[in-house]
């Protein structure tokens, strides 16, 4: 035995580790979870990063990926893509912000990496930022490493972040929320110059979030950030000491009440409460001011675009509460796939990527532990945030309407989807789960299995058993009495929903799928609900198994969320996200510029922005900030493609061979919402010629209606259908009001009354309106078969409106021979279309009537007010030589007569933000550019700025004097310049704040003050 110098036994002790080694070990222990979280993000997207298929949703293919692919090409060419000429006839892509072209992370990835690797790397960065940020924030609040890691996984791979995988801008913005809260806590814990530094850091993070850019996560982040400034700092909240078992329950209760009273009394305010409040307000204004100021280069153009978009007209409560979580979807806390048939089909009231509530079963149960047992300001704060956000996600479904408060807050009235408040709910549950793990670990170490926590765990163990019994009973009822079940479901579906076609039988089969005994996702949910409490009980009863139990909880969370995140969306090879077919190969080989019109029925294959990735400009477009004036044009050309389509340089058309929803009248196919033509006798829209298979015609079948005939005499000819022979011979048959056709606008929906006298009604319905919650006006289509006086060998048929008043709508046209054979005219049979390529679904047509991108007219017609497509259909004008403009006529040139020579014009260069043309005019005239009018464009004739006029509803027009001139259009948006100026000033202010704080920390300011004092002496 070793004897000490005092005679007692010597106690063996460990040699202390060298200080440098201990510091390194601590750093590695702290770094390991961060590396794990980053590695987890890489593993989730490993197939994408290695050139394999990528995860996609509808918005991935219709907006984000194709536009990002095009933007990446622009960045590689050294151009910042301010304006895309490929959608909507031209669109301010940078102002829209959804591609994130002003985000340093996004722009850097696009500049350094090729597509699609840059696209996938952006996702990895977003999820890694979200998980690591949550980890650091939870650690700051007192969570241990395992708890903080579980919290990081729960936030980054819960339903909000995973559901919005297809919304790149939401990911880029939401990923910064934990970092913003981290800087808020650090700023509140600091004093003096350190607080200034953390405020500057918070402003920078808010700026990165705002240039992401989706305004909804930004507004929610600012909201919870402001509340945290008022209730924080939260400090180390995970029960720093554990009460001794000898302390009575009353003593424990007394301590809890004391802590609550101290919290409510705001013991940490100190001094003057008004000064305390002012300091918090100043801190908040500094962070928000610097953040939004730095992001003004994105926010100002986005704000201006939003005011001019269709979103400005949708500021209604019904719109704002669309995409809300219905109360039954609370079950997605445990069963995330409950409402999904697969990754694309669902039976929920609204899309499940918006309305699923899931952070993992294990984090959810750990959050309940924190709510029940962890005492501290952070738990109370996040319990309140979680409760409010849970109420808000329901939108208008609750008997009380808390969302009305949010709807009246600045900025929120323009937004929809209350379900997106699940961002704050996911954040709350992630924080609480981290603190719950920490409490369990400390409780097991000091107290083991105590009564109350064991009781809670026992209740948790009963939950999966009860749910399993309920699921079994539900399945038995569905199979035993399906009719009563569907009647009940019909009542449940009598509410607002995204899918108007969703019926009770969809829900019935969805419930049958969910309750199927071999449904793996249902079984996994029940299994996790049972296993997690068992692990917690093992931990409490066997504290020495601390490492094992903590690791089990971590791996249960990681495995669960890996399965959830990797199965939520389908995957597809990146090249398949850009349509490829013989038709697209033809288009890619044609010289630019030109524009393509894709019929909406083909959107699943070719729309709405999908061809942007291939560099093919389309009339189509999809964006949440669609230009409203262009929406009017788009709806018009969808319902009837005619001269207005030709004016917009639409040289090619992708038409459906057979459109779904078509009907048949006496052997003639027609579509009640897709007209073959529509127009008046005063302009070219009132006449159309169609090719037909050579037929010896004996009769004509016509489906039509006339609008606005007024008091015209019944039986008067309003239109004429003419058969044309191969030799040019013609045979005409009239369409008479009240006999072969009648009024389009019906006095009431449905079929005519019994005493109705007139042509046969082939279809009666309501007009389609963009807002699915509104019903359109009733209308009717009339069908008639006209026998010919003698057979006629026809190769074409012409339809022409002849009445000086009213407008003809033609829906169907057929030619029949004596033997019963015939030909039904389709839109793709128009004489102006030359077939180029066709498959079973679509036909590619060349439009020989299309006007080139730049053209000349020698007369303008000034209109008072907006030039709508209805007005252009009714206006007496010749589009070949005239243009209809809004406002007073240009005074820069004196137009010649309508019959004067036009001159010549040609494109010299066509870039996204600059277009140059050479115009040679024998007399003053006007140049028309077939690109969408936008206030951000400027025009110069021989370097002298001239006014751009809105022509023909959507185009641009400038006056050009006689002679040879260079006309240049340049995209120079003032909101972008204003935002850049504000951001530059904010960057200067941010730098001043940082330098001032650093100077105070280093003592430079004090030294300068002493020097200045010495000089004065």
């Amino acid at each position: 035995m070793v004897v000490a110098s005092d005679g007692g036994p010597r106690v063996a002790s460990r040699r202390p580790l060298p200080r440098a080694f201990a510091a390194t070990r601590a750093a590695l222990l702290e770094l390991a979870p961060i590396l794990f979280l980053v590695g987890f993000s890489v593993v989730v997207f490993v197939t994408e990063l290695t050139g394999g298929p990528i995860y996609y949703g509808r918005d991935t293919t219709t907006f984000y990926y194709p536009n990002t692919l095009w933007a990446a090409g622009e960045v590689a060419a050294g151009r910042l893509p301010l304006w895309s000429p490929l959608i909507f006839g031209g669109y301010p892509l940078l102002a829209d912000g959804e591609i994130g072209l002003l985000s340093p992370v996004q722009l850097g990835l696009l500049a350094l990496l090729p597509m699609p690797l840059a696209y996938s790397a952006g996702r990895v960065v977003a999820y890694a930022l979200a998980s690591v940020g949550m980890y650091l924030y939870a650690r700051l609040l007192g969570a241990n490493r395992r708890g903080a890691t579980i919290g990081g996984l729960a936030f980054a791979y819960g339903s909000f972040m995973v559901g919005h995988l297809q919304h790149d801008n939401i990911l880029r913005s939401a990923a910064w929320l934990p970092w913003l809260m981290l800087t808020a806590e650090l700023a509140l814990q600091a004093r003096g110059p350190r607080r200034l530094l953390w405020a500057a850091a918070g402003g920078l993070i808010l700026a990165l979030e705002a240039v992401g850019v989706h305004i909804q996560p930004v507004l929610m982040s600012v909201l919870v950030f402001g509340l945290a400034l008022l209730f924080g700092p939260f400090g180390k909240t995970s029960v720093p000491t554990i009460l001794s078992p000898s302390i009575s329950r009353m003593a424990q209760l007394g301590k809890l009440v004391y802590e609550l009273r101290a919290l409510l009394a705001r013991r940490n305010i100190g001094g003057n409460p008004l000064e305390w409040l002012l300091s918090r307000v100043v801190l908040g204004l500094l962070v928000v001011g610097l953040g939004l100021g730095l992001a003004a280069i994105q926010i100002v153009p986005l704000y201006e675009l939003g005011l001019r978009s269709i979103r400005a007209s949708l500021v209604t409560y019904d719109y704002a509460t669309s995409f809300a979580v219905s109360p039954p979807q609370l079950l997605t806390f445990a069963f995330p796939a409950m409402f999904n048939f697969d990754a694309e089909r669902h039976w929920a009231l609204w899309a499940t990527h918006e309305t699923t509530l899931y952070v993992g079963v294990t984090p959810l149960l750990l959050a309940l532990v924190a709510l029940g047992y962890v005492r501290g300001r952070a738990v109370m704060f996040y319990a309140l945030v979680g409760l409010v956000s849970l109420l808000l996600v329901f939108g208008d479904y609750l008997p009380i309407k808390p969302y009305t408060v949010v709807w009246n807050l600045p900025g929120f009235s323009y937004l929809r989807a209350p379900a997106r408040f699940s961002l704050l709910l996911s954040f709350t549950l992630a924080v609480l789960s981290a603190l719950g793990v920490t409490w369990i670990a400390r409780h097991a170490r000091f107290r083991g299995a105590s009564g109350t926590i064991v009781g809670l765990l026992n209740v948790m163990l009963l939950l999966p058993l009860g749910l399993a019994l309920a699921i079994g009973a539900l399945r038995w009822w569905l199979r035993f009495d399906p009719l009563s079940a569907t009647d009940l479901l019909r009542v449940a579906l009598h509410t607002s929903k995204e899918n108007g076609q969703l019926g009770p039988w969809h829900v019935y089969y969805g419930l049958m799928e969910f309750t199927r005994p071999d449904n793996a996702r249902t079984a996994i949910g029940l299994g996790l609900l049972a296993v997690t409490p068992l692990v917690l009980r093992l931990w409490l009863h066997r504290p020495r198994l601390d490492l094992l139990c903590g690791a089990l909880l971590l791996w249960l969370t990681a495995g669960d969320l890996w399965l959830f995140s990797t199965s939520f969306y389908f995957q597809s090879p990146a090249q398949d996200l850009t349509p490829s077919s013989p038709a697209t190969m033809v288009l890619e080989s044609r010289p630019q510029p030109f524009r393509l019109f894709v019929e909406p029925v083909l959107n699943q294959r070719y729309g709405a922005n999908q061809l942007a990735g291939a560099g093919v400009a389309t009339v189509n477009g999809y964006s949440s900030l669609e230009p409203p004036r262009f929406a009017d044009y788009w709806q018009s050309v969808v319902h009837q493609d005619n001269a207005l389509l030709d004016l917009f340089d639409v040289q090619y058309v992708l038409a459906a061979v057979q459109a779904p929803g078509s009907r048949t009248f006496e052997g003639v196919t027609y579509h009640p919402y897709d007209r073959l033509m529509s127009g008046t006798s005063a302009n070219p829209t009132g006449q159309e010629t169609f090719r037909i298979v050579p037929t010896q015609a004996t009769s004509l079948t016509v489906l039509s209606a006339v609008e606005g005939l007024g008091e015209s005499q019944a039986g008067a000819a309003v239109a004429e259908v003419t058969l044309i022979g191969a030799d040019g011979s013609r045979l005409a048959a009239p369409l008479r009001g009240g006999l072969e056709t009648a009024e389009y606008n019906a006095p009431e929906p449905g079929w005519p009354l019994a005493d109705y006298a007139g042509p046969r009604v082939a279809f009666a319905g309501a007009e389609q309106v963009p807002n699915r919650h509104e019903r359109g006006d009733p209308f009717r289509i009339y069908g008639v078969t006209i026998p010919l006086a003698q057979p006629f060998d026809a190769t074409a048929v012409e339809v022409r409106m002849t009445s000086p008043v009213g407008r003809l709508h033609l829906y169907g046209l057929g030619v029949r021979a004596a033997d019963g054979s015939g030909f039904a005219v389709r839109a793709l049979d128009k004489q102006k279309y030359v077939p180029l390529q066709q498959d079973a679904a679509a036909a590619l047509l060349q439009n020989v009537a299309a006007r080139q991108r730049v053209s000349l007219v020698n007369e303008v017609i000034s209109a008072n007010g907006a030039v709508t497509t209805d007005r252009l259909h009714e206006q007496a004008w010749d589009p070949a030589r005239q243009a209809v403009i809004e406002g007073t006529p240009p005074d820069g040139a004196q137009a010649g007569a309508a019959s004067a020579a036009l001159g010549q014009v040609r494109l010299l260069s066509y870039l996204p933000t600059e277009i140059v043309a050479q115009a040679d005019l024998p007399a003053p005239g006007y140049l028309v550019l077939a690109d969408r009018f936008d206030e951000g464009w400027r025009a110069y004739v021989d370097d002298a700025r001239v006014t751009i006029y809105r022509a023909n509803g959507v185009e641009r027009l400038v006056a050009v004097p006689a002679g040879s001139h260079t006309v240049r259009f340049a995209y120079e948006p003032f909101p972008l310049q204003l935002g850049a100026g504000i951001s530059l000033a904010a960057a200067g202010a941010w730098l001043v704040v940082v330098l001032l704080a650093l100077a105070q920390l280093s003592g430079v300011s004090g030294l300068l003050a002493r020097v200045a004092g010495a000089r004065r002496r």
Side-chain angles (χ1 to χ4, degrees), residues 545-611:
L545 299 179
D546 176 81
L547 289 177
L548 174 63
C549 294
L552 284 175
L553 291 179
L554 177 59
W555 289 109
L556 283 174
T557 303
D560 177 22
L561 292 177
W562 178 84
L563 179 63
F564 172 67
S565 59
T566 56
S567 61
F568 199 91
Y569 286 107
F570 285 134
Q571 288 182 287
S572 173
Q575 61 269 21
D576 291 348
L577 299 183
T578 300
S580 180
S581 68
T584 59
M585 287 188 283
V586 170
L587 292 168
E588 291 173 22
S589 67
R590 296 300 169 105
Q592 299 275 6
F594 63 80
R595 203 163 277 128
L596 169 74
F597 172 70
V598 181
E599 290 189 346
V601 69
L602 298 174
N603 275 353
Q604 187 71 22
R605 184 178 178 188
Y606 293 106
N609 306 320
Q610 291 183 44
L611 289 169

Side-chain angles (χ1 to χ4, degrees), residues 706 709 712 716-720 735-737 741 800-803 805 808:
V706 285
L709 284 179
S712 297
V718 296
E720 189 175 75
L735 292 179
R736 295 165 295 178
T741 191
R800 181 169 60 91
M801 181 68 175
T802 57
S803 172
V805 297
L808 174 68

Side-chain angles (χ1 to χ4, degrees), residues 518-543:
D518 60 342
N519 187 315
R521 286 302 296 168
T522 303
I524 289 173
L526 292 172
L528 288 169
L529 284 171
V531 171
T532 300
L534 288 175
V535 174
L536 294 178
R537 287 201 63 173
L538 177 65
W539 199 346
L540 292 173
H541 282 88
R542 297 290 185 271

Side-chain angles (χ1 to χ4, degrees), residues 639-671:
H639 287 303
Q640 63 272 315
D641 68 78
N642 49 31
L644 299 187
L645 192 72
D646 305 338
L647 293 178
F648 211 47
D649 191 23
V650 180
Q651 298 182 33
Y652 301 95
V653 171
L654 262 175
V657 175
Q658 181 64 50
S662 296
R663 294 170 174 260
T664 301
F665 175 85
E666 296 187 1
V668 174
T669 302
Y670 73 100
H671 198 291

